Amino acid sequence: MPTQDELAIADAVGSQLIRLVRLVERKQVQYQAEHPDAVERATYHLLVHLVKDGARRAGSLAEAVHSDPSTISRQIGHLVRLGLVERTADPVDGRATLLAATEEGRRVFEENRRIRNERIAEMLERWSVDDRRALSELLTRFTSDFERSVPRPAEHTAATSDVAAVRS
């Protein structure tokens, strides 16, 4: 059981995370209005994985982004219509489809990433190099721990079924 001090720190972190998420959402809406290459955040996340990790099946992509294939199907369709992703036959199993970023998808990814990095660098320019590194390291650690604590869709369904069975 966490102590009162631990809970107070958790509350402060949680409050700042909520504040940050709201600010990011507001900035995202503004960014999308101002930039022709802007793509919805959840959809863009799929493009990021396809650019960084290469072609993959929809199920593998859904697992990588902690979602289920039915959820990403609509988003992939949107990316295909925009010409940012293409579907090709899987050379290992011709019945399956691979998703891959197109040249235009890679260009949009690089442009969005460049703009993001420039904005973050500008925000942190008054911070010391040590503080910037510490933020990067702590944020990476926090995100990794958070990611490990979030159940995958299949785990969530199993856990929900187990809870329902216990309550019955």
Side-chain angles (χ1 to χ4, degrees), residues 1-96:
M1 184 65 128
T3 67
Q4 288 301 318
D5 285 344
E6 291 168 334
L7 290 173
I9 292 169
D11 183 57
V13 169
S15 294
Q16 291 307 309
L17 286 172
I18 289 168
R19 180 177 169 218
L20 179 61
V21 167
R22 287 181 181 149
L23 289 168
V24 167
E25 289 170 347
R26 189 176 321 146
K27 281 285 192 187
Q28 182 67 22
V29 169
Q30 180 183 357
Y31 181 81
Q32 286 179 317
E34 295 172 356
H35 293 86
D37 287 338
V39 178
E40 179 184 302
R41 187 174 61 223
T43 305
Y44 181 74
H45 190 56
L46 300 178
L47 180 61
V48 168
H49 277 271
L50 292 173
V51 169
K52 286 184 165 187
D53 303 332
R56 54 180 32 194
R57 291 182 181 184
S60 173
L61 182 59
E63 186 175 309
V65 300
H66 309 289
S67 190
D68 59 271
S70 63
T71 300
I72 69 161
S73 178
R74 175 189 57 81
Q75 296 164 328
I76 288 297
H78 182 67
L79 289 170
V80 168
R81 285 188 298 281
L82 291 173
L84 305 178
V85 169
E86 63 187 351
R87 292 180 175 109
T88 58
D90 185 336
V92 176
D93 180 357
R95 299 167 296 169

Side-chain angles (χ1 to χ4, degrees), residues 86-125:
E86 63 187 351
R87 292 180 175 109
T88 58
D90 185 336
V92 176
D93 180 357
R95 299 167 296 169
T97 301
L98 289 179
L99 304 166
T102 62
E103 190 65 36
E104 177 65 3
R106 285 187 287 283
R107 185 198 67 75
V108 166
F109 164 78
E110 291 298 334
E111 177 67 9
N112 279 280
R113 186 176 191 176
R114 181 190 61 77
I115 291 169
R116 179 203 67 194
N117 290 346
E118 287 174 359
R119 286 189 174 173
I120 291 172
E122 288 171 6
M123 285 188 313
L124 298 176
E125 69 186 357

Side-chain angles (χ1 to χ4, degrees), residues 124 127 130-140:
L124 298 176
W127 291 36
D130 288 343
D131 283 351
R132 288 182 234 176
R133 283 194 180 112
L135 174 63
S136 176
E137 291 167 9
L138 291 170
L139 194 53
T140 299

Side-chain angles (χ1 to χ4, degrees), residues 145-160:
D145 288 348
F146 187 89
E147 188 174 40
R148 279 192 294 277
S149 75
V150 176
R152 302 257 183 194
E155 294 170 357
H156 177 70
T157 304
T160 304

